[in-house]
Amino acid sequence: MKTSGDVFDIEKKKENIKNLEKKSSDINLWDNKEEAQKILKMVSSITNLINKWEELEKEIDEIKILNELLKEEEDTDTHNELIKKINNLEAELSELEFKNMLKEKDDIRNAILTIHPGAGGTESQDWAGMLMRMYLKWMEKKGFEFNIMDLQSGEEAGIKSVSIEVKGEYAYGILKAENGIHRLIRISPFDANHRRHTSFAAVFVYPEVEDDLEVEINPADLRIDTFRASGAGGQHVNKTDSAIRIKHIPTGIVVQCQNERSQFKNKSNALKILKARLYQLKKEEKKKEKIALEETKKEISWGNQIRSYTMHPYYLVKDHRTKVETTNVQSVMEGNIDIFI
């Protein structure tokens, strides 16, 4: 009979660790910095998974002991503790199983998440802002570090766009499931007649590319413009042209950053976003897809959504790919989105 340890290939992973550690002890390894960093990251990732599995084994032993105690004598406190431990174990096993499934090269990387509202002005911009808050709360719950690299606020409410750097193991692998169009149906707080409105926003997730030369950018291919950053309501307006807009001429990709007061930091963040998008484009080309990433993005409108968030005439969040749904919309907006991921 197979055990969970067999399913996770723990013994094989331990053997992989030995082989990788042997490689990492090679004095010539750091002649190739890219290869050295890759090996160290793999060692760290596999070690974390093994350690987590060993922790779960201890929890399983504790559950067995509590179960034996209950057989000998019924006790409400022991029973409640047993149920709590079983529920925790189930959740932890589920997360471990999920991470074990993330085997693609980029899954372990940090991520860059961007949100753009669809047509509809203030309505869609407000919805994009709601999604941003939902994801930030989710990141906090998951223990991911995040950095808002660029944020353009809407005139009345919400946002025109945002780019967020998400740091943590498997950030990209977990978040890539959120790629797509998100639809909101509600009574508009901006409509004096209290009519029902449908709004759309697009979420895109890119793997963050480290300085490992996987993407080379020719400075001659870049058009870099500076401009004066501005904030909502005239707040935090810089008096210098610190904001940066970069256009990659060969692909037409445009990125911009204005959140930092330093032009150097804004340029660094903009290049980081550009690198991530070019890397994703490179991946698509390697798969020989007919059209590149920017052309595969569907129109932010009806019929293209991956998930609907309904707040009127009833409450329901439904993922149209997996058919997973919940009526607890408030919980979802508080960042509890793991059931969909």
Side-chain angles (χ1 to χ4, degrees), residues 25-37:
S25 63
D26 186 345
I27 57 173
N28 298 317
L29 176 66
W30 285 94
D31 291 343
N32 185 339
K33 187 179 177 183
E34 177 187 344
E35 184 64 21
Q37 289 177 336

Side-chain angles (χ1 to χ4, degrees), residues 139-190:
M139 291 168 201
E140 288 176 349
K141 292 175 191 289
K142 301 296 286 187
F144 284 120
E145 293 181 34
F146 58 86
N147 169 40
I148 298 178
M149 305 171 78
D150 185 58
L151 173 63
Q152 297 181 57
S153 300
E155 281 85 1
E156 295 181 50
I159 61 171
K160 291 181 179 177
S161 71
V162 67
S163 296
I164 306 169
E165 180 182 31
V166 190
K167 294 183 178 182
E169 201 172 71
Y170 293 102
Y172 173 71
I174 296 171
L175 274 171
K176 66 182 181 181
E178 294 300 288
N179 262 320
I181 312 304
H182 296 245
R183 178 179 69 171
L184 172 68
I185 303 167
R186 65 171 177 175
I187 297 295
S188 170
F190 306 102

Side-chain angles (χ1 to χ4, degrees), residues 220-260:
D221 290 338
L222 303 180
R223 192 180 78 201
I224 302 176
D225 298 314
T226 61
F227 60 98
R228 191 160 297 184
S230 61
Q235 295 176 344
H236 309 297
V237 179
N238 285 355
K239 295 181 180 179
T240 59
D241 292 344
S242 61
I244 294 287
R245 183 182 293 111
I246 301 177
K247 180 176 181 178
H248 186 250
I249 297 168
T251 61
I253 293 175
V254 178
V255 297
Q256 69 176 49
C257 280
Q258 61 173 358
N259 265 37
E260 303 290 345

